[in-house]
């Protein structure tokens, strides 16, 4: 339905595309899925109920429903790193550095070099 298409377009505004990491960006991935699902523009040929469930799920993520419901008291993650440290480790620059050195983080940890 046209209404579903408009809902998804409005939802995509929550996730802008980061041009530095298009292949790993959720905004890019969601845009590709919407493009495939709504190939004929606003016409949708598929399971309407599944489409509504996926939209509701993505809407909860965009609105950070569970983040607001379950407030965190600790600023570190399960790895013991802060959010800033996790972002720097997962950045494109760090991944490029690992590829240049042709060594994974696990080989560094287990070999000690």
């Amino acid at each position: 339905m046209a209404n579903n298409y408009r809902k998804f377009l409005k939802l995509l505004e929550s996730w802008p595309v980061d041009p530095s990491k298009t292949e790993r960006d959720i905004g890019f991935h969601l845009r590709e899925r919407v493009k495939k699902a709504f190939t004929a523009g606003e016409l949708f040929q598929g399971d309407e109920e599944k489409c509504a469930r996926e939209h509701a799920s993505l809407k909860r993520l965009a609105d950070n429903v569970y983040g607001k419901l379950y407030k965190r008291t600790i600023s570190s993650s399960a790895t013991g790193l802060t959010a800033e440290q996790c972002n720097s480790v997962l950045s494109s620059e760090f991944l490029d550095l690992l590829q240049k050195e042709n060594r994974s983080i696990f080989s560094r940890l287990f070999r000690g070099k």
Side-chain angles (χ1 to χ4, degrees):
M1 290 213 159
N3 194 21
N4 284 337
Y5 183 67
R6 289 188 194 111
K7 284 183 192 177
F8 273 101
L9 288 181
K10 182 150 179 65
L11 184 64
L12 289 177
E13 294 172 3
S14 302
W15 281 296
V17 176
D18 184 358
S20 67
K21 53 183 177 183
T22 55
E23 66 276 354
R24 298 183 310 124
D25 188 54
I26 191 169
F28 177 76
H29 175 73
L30 290 175
R31 281 168 177 74
E32 291 297 314
R33 293 228 13 221
V34 168
K35 230 187 278 184
K36 287 178 186 174
F38 296 95
T39 54
E42 294 184 359
L43 297 176
F44 177 69
Q45 298 174 2
D47 186 4
E48 292 286 333
E49 186 178 322
K50 182 179 177 186
C51 181
R53 282 194 318 261
E54 286 189 18
H55 179 269
S57 176
L58 289 171
K59 182 75 173 148
R60 284 191 303 270
L61 280 173
D63 293 341
N64 195 19
V65 169
Y66 297 110
K68 293 174 185 173
L69 185 62
Y70 304 105
K71 299 279 186 192
R72 290 182 49 95
T73 57
I74 301 172
S75 64
S76 65
S77 65
T79 60
L81 301 175
T82 64
E84 294 81 23
Q85 291 169 330
C86 287
N87 285 336
S88 66
V89 168
L90 295 174
S91 69
S92 297
E93 293 82 20
F94 185 76
L95 293 175
D96 290 340
L97 178 68
L98 286 179
Q99 286 178 352
K100 285 179 185 175
E101 293 182 5
N102 200 17
R103 291 168 35 189
S104 70
I105 196 164
F106 294 111
S107 66
R108 286 182 176 193
L109 290 173
F110 293 122
R111 291 186 187 158
K113 291 185 177 184

